[in-house]
Amino acid sequence: MLEQVISSEVDACRVLLDQLADKWTFTVFLALRDQPHRFNELRRRVPGITQKALTQSLRRLERNGMVSRRIVETAPPGVEYSVSAIGKSMSEPLDVLAQWAVRQLPSILAAQAQFDSRPESHAHSDAADLADYDTVTVRSRF
Amino acid sequence: MLEQVISSEVDACRVLLDQLADKWTFTVFLALRDQPHRFNELRRRVPGITQKALTQSLRRLERNGMVSRRIVETAPPGVEYSVSAIGKSMSEPLDVLAQWAVRQLPSILAAQAQFDSRPESHAHSDAADLADYDTVTVRSRF
DNA sequence: CCGAATCCGTCGCGATACTG
DNA sequence: CAGTATCGCGACGGATTCGG
């Protein structure tokens, strides 16, 4: 029945989201999408990231087959990361999502502002939880 | 330059991901997408969710303008949630992603299996962290 | 240069109990 | 029926330190 079809999509999507949705993995993927990079190159391309976080993100992406890790024989030896074929194929649906997000962002921000500007109605939270949402949202490195 | 364009997409996408990527919100959204539902209806449609988690997810979706909350005057009174216009528009790019995920899921699982089946190479983790990934991935309510 | 290993603070989440 | 309030744990992210 219908439920079955939906649930498979749900699961597949959740798997995907779980992979990308931690704090850095998605950003790292985008930083790596244009061209291969070495470890510390990536670290510079993603300001604010820790070695630990970068390693975790790369391992995660590598495990899912999204990026490939290659040892380059130079002096001193280095490691080069690049997005794989399947990783590139993921870019397309991601771009669709990104375009939607860019277009709808104003509407979303407006909805957020409207929602936040009525502490009476059924607002339970003491506005402490909402604070970070906004700051994170507005953040744009220009 | 190019970097600027990319960064805006990154930010917009990250905002979107941050909204959907917590444990339940995305699932709740899908459960609500087909038709409006009341609170406890939703709770039954999303097995395993807590009242608290459901409330949080709904508040979050409501804040972003994705769902609407409506008080229905019956006896006893109830609350009806439904996805808004902007929420429905989000379904389209999400479907693109879902279709990709469904198609690529076998490849992803294969890559994971291959990655996990070489504890020697540069596997650092004691296979403890990997366990949950797999179980979560395989999970499908049939 | 490329990580691994450890400690530690924070927060999401679940379980439970209570309200109108 | 539709939530709110509180508690406790476990996972996650950040900072730091050590190794190949």
Short mmCIF file of all heavy atoms in Angstrom, two decimals, chain B residues 23-33 42 45-46 49 53-54 57-58 61 67 83:
data_model
loop_
_atom_site.label_atom_id
_atom_site.label_comp_id
_atom_site.label_asym_id
_atom_site.label_seq_id
_atom_site.Cartn_x
_atom_site.Cartn_y
_atom_site.Cartn_z
N LYS B 23 16.13 14.71 15.14
CA LYS B 23 15.72 13.31 15.04
C LYS B 23 14.33 13.09 14.44
O LYS B 23 14.08 12.10 13.77
CB LYS B 23 15.79 12.65 16.42
CG LYS B 23 15.60 11.15 16.35
CD LYS B 23 15.91 10.48 17.67
CE LYS B 23 15.80 8.99 17.54
NZ LYS B 23 16.01 8.29 18.81
N TRP B 24 13.40 14.00 14.68
CA TRP B 24 12.01 13.71 14.32
C TRP B 24 11.38 14.67 13.34
O TRP B 24 10.41 14.32 12.65
CB TRP B 24 11.16 13.71 15.60
CG TRP B 24 11.49 12.59 16.54
CD1 TRP B 24 12.16 12.71 17.73
CD2 TRP B 24 11.20 11.20 16.38
NE1 TRP B 24 12.29 11.48 18.31
CE2 TRP B 24 11.71 10.53 17.50
CE3 TRP B 24 10.55 10.46 15.38
CZ2 TRP B 24 11.59 9.16 17.67
CZ3 TRP B 24 10.43 9.10 15.54
CH2 TRP B 24 10.95 8.46 16.68
N THR B 25 11.85 15.91 13.28
CA THR B 25 11.12 16.94 12.52
C THR B 25 10.83 16.53 11.09
O THR B 25 9.70 16.70 10.60
CB THR B 25 11.93 18.25 12.53
OG1 THR B 25 12.16 18.65 13.88
CG2 THR B 25 11.17 19.34 11.80
N PHE B 26 11.80 15.98 10.44
CA PHE B 26 11.61 15.59 9.05
C PHE B 26 10.53 14.52 8.92
O PHE B 26 9.65 14.59 8.05
CB PHE B 26 12.94 15.08 8.48
CG PHE B 26 12.83 14.58 7.08
CD1 PHE B 26 12.62 15.45 6.04
CD2 PHE B 26 12.95 13.22 6.82
CE1 PHE B 26 12.52 14.98 4.73
CE2 PHE B 26 12.84 12.75 5.52
CZ PHE B 26 12.63 13.63 4.48
N THR B 27 10.57 13.56 9.78
CA THR B 27 9.56 12.49 9.76
C THR B 27 8.17 13.03 10.05
O THR B 27 7.19 12.65 9.39
CB THR B 27 9.92 11.42 10.80
OG1 THR B 27 11.26 10.99 10.60
CG2 THR B 27 9.00 10.23 10.67
N VAL B 28 8.10 13.94 11.00
CA VAL B 28 6.81 14.54 11.32
C VAL B 28 6.27 15.30 10.11
O VAL B 28 5.08 15.20 9.78
CB VAL B 28 6.95 15.51 12.52
CG1 VAL B 28 5.69 16.33 12.70
CG2 VAL B 28 7.25 14.72 13.78
N PHE B 29 7.15 16.02 9.46
CA PHE B 29 6.73 16.76 8.27
C PHE B 29 6.14 15.82 7.22
O PHE B 29 5.08 16.10 6.65
CB PHE B 29 7.92 17.51 7.69
CG PHE B 29 7.61 18.23 6.41
CD1 PHE B 29 6.93 19.43 6.44
CD2 PHE B 29 7.99 17.69 5.19
CE1 PHE B 29 6.63 20.10 5.25
CE2 PHE B 29 7.70 18.36 4.01
CZ PHE B 29 7.02 19.56 4.04
N LEU B 30 6.80 14.72 6.98
CA LEU B 30 6.30 13.77 6.00
C LEU B 30 4.98 13.16 6.44
O LEU B 30 4.09 12.93 5.62
CB LEU B 30 7.33 12.67 5.77
CG LEU B 30 8.60 13.11 5.06
CD1 LEU B 30 9.49 11.91 4.78
CD2 LEU B 30 8.26 13.82 3.77
N ALA B 31 4.85 12.90 7.72
CA ALA B 31 3.61 12.32 8.22
C ALA B 31 2.45 13.29 8.07
O ALA B 31 1.29 12.89 7.96
CB ALA B 31 3.77 11.95 9.70
N LEU B 32 2.78 14.57 8.02
CA LEU B 32 1.74 15.60 7.95
C LEU B 32 1.50 16.07 6.52
O LEU B 32 0.53 16.77 6.24
CB LEU B 32 2.19 16.79 8.81
CG LEU B 32 1.13 17.80 9.24
CD1 LEU B 32 0.02 17.12 9.98
CD2 LEU B 32 1.80 18.86 10.09
N ARG B 33 2.34 15.63 5.61
CA ARG B 33 2.30 16.19 4.27
C ARG B 33 1.05 15.79 3.50
O ARG B 33 0.48 16.58 2.76
CB ARG B 33 3.56 15.75 3.51
CG ARG B 33 3.80 16.49 2.24
CD ARG B 33 5.09 16.06 1.61
NE ARG B 33 5.18 14.60 1.49
CZ ARG B 33 6.09 13.99 0.74
NH1 ARG B 33 6.97 14.70 0.09
NH2 ARG B 33 6.13 12.68 0.68
N LEU B 42 -1.10 12.42 14.85
CA LEU B 42 0.30 12.45 14.44
C LEU B 42 1.15 11.53 15.30
O LEU B 42 2.02 10.82 14.82
CB LEU B 42 0.83 13.88 14.54
CG LEU B 42 0.56 14.79 13.35
CD1 LEU B 42 1.02 16.19 13.65
CD2 LEU B 42 1.25 14.24 12.12
N ARG B 45 0.85 8.21 14.07
CA ARG B 45 1.46 8.03 12.75
C ARG B 45 2.98 7.97 12.82
O ARG B 45 3.63 7.50 11.88
CB ARG B 45 1.05 9.17 11.81
CG ARG B 45 -0.30 8.99 11.16
CD ARG B 45 -0.62 10.18 10.28
NE ARG B 45 0.18 10.23 9.08
CZ ARG B 45 -0.20 9.69 7.93
NH1 ARG B 45 -1.34 9.06 7.84
NH2 ARG B 45 0.57 9.80 6.86
N VAL B 46 3.54 8.49 13.88
CA VAL B 46 5.00 8.48 14.04
C VAL B 46 5.34 7.62 15.24
O VAL B 46 5.51 8.13 16.34
CB VAL B 46 5.56 9.91 14.22
CG1 VAL B 46 7.07 9.88 14.28
CG2 VAL B 46 5.09 10.80 13.08
N ILE B 49 7.65 8.24 18.86
CA ILE B 49 7.91 9.64 19.22
C ILE B 49 7.27 9.96 20.56
O ILE B 49 6.25 9.38 20.94
CB ILE B 49 7.38 10.59 18.12
CG1 ILE B 49 8.04 11.96 18.25
CG2 ILE B 49 5.87 10.70 18.19
CD1 ILE B 49 7.70 12.91 17.13
N ALA B 53 8.91 15.42 22.06
CA ALA B 53 9.59 15.51 20.77
C ALA B 53 8.62 15.98 19.69
O ALA B 53 8.98 16.80 18.83
CB ALA B 53 10.18 14.16 20.40
N LEU B 54 7.40 15.48 19.73
CA LEU B 54 6.41 15.89 18.74
C LEU B 54 6.10 17.37 18.85
O LEU B 54 6.04 18.09 17.85
CB LEU B 54 5.13 15.06 18.91
CG LEU B 54 4.00 15.38 17.94
CD1 LEU B 54 4.49 15.28 16.50
CD2 LEU B 54 2.83 14.44 18.16
N SER B 57 9.03 19.34 17.49
CA SER B 57 9.09 19.29 16.03
C SER B 57 8.04 20.20 15.41
O SER B 57 8.32 20.95 14.47
CB SER B 57 8.89 17.86 15.55
OG SER B 57 9.90 17.02 16.06
N LEU B 58 6.84 20.12 15.95
CA LEU B 58 5.75 20.93 15.41
C LEU B 58 6.02 22.42 15.61
O LEU B 58 5.79 23.23 14.71
CB LEU B 58 4.43 20.55 16.08
CG LEU B 58 3.86 19.19 15.64
CD1 LEU B 58 2.68 18.79 16.50
CD2 LEU B 58 3.47 19.24 14.17
N LEU B 61 8.63 23.46 13.04
CA LEU B 61 8.04 23.56 11.70
C LEU B 61 7.12 24.77 11.60
O LEU B 61 7.10 25.47 10.57
CB LEU B 61 7.26 22.28 11.38
CG LEU B 61 8.12 21.04 11.10
CD1 LEU B 61 7.27 19.79 11.08
CD2 LEU B 61 8.84 21.19 9.77
N VAL B 67 4.36 24.51 8.68
CA VAL B 67 3.05 23.97 9.05
C VAL B 67 2.24 25.05 9.75
O VAL B 67 2.80 26.00 10.31
CB VAL B 67 3.17 22.73 9.97
CG1 VAL B 67 4.22 21.76 9.46
CG2 VAL B 67 3.46 23.15 11.39
N VAL B 83 0.29 21.30 6.64
CA VAL B 83 1.44 21.93 6.01
C VAL B 83 0.97 23.12 5.21
O VAL B 83 -0.06 23.08 4.55
CB VAL B 83 2.20 20.94 5.10
CG1 VAL B 83 2.54 19.68 5.86
CG2 VAL B 83 1.43 20.62 3.87
#
